[in-house]
């Protein structure tokens, strides 16, 4: 789980992250009521630590 403070919308973050080769899932669709923006699930259970670090670096380029 990650929470980003950014002016980008969830859809923009998903799109820009995908362009960098990183998949993120917003948690908003899982809420029945008012959903928070800028909160994501990051799936990394099947990745090595070097791949995770690279993914985080790429994601940082998107949200900065």
């Amino acid at each position: 789980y990650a929470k980003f403070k950014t002016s980008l919308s969830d859809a923009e973050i998903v799109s820009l992250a995908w362009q960098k080769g990183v998949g993120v899932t917003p948690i908003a669709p899982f809420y029945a009521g008012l959903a928070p923006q800028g909160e994501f699930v990051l799936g990394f259970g099947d990745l090595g630590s070097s791949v995770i670090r690279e993914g985080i670096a790429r994601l940082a380029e998107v949200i900065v």
Side-chain angles (χ1 to χ4, degrees):
Y1 167 79
K3 183 174 183 177
F4 304 131
K5 291 186 179 185
T6 178
S7 62
L8 298 171
S9 71
D10 285 1
E12 289 171 315
I13 291 172
V14 169
S15 177
L16 292 169
W18 183 256
Q19 291 173 29
K20 295 281 188 180
V22 178
V24 295
T25 303
I27 65 169
F30 300 103
Y31 276 74
L34 183 61
Q37 296 296 299
E39 297 185 11
F40 296 85
V41 174
L42 308 177
F44 52 85
D46 190 30
L47 303 174
S49 60
S50 63
V51 175
I52 293 170
R53 281 192 292 274
E54 177 63 27
I56 290 170
R58 290 180 187 186
L59 190 55
E61 293 173 6
V62 168
I63 60 173
V64 171

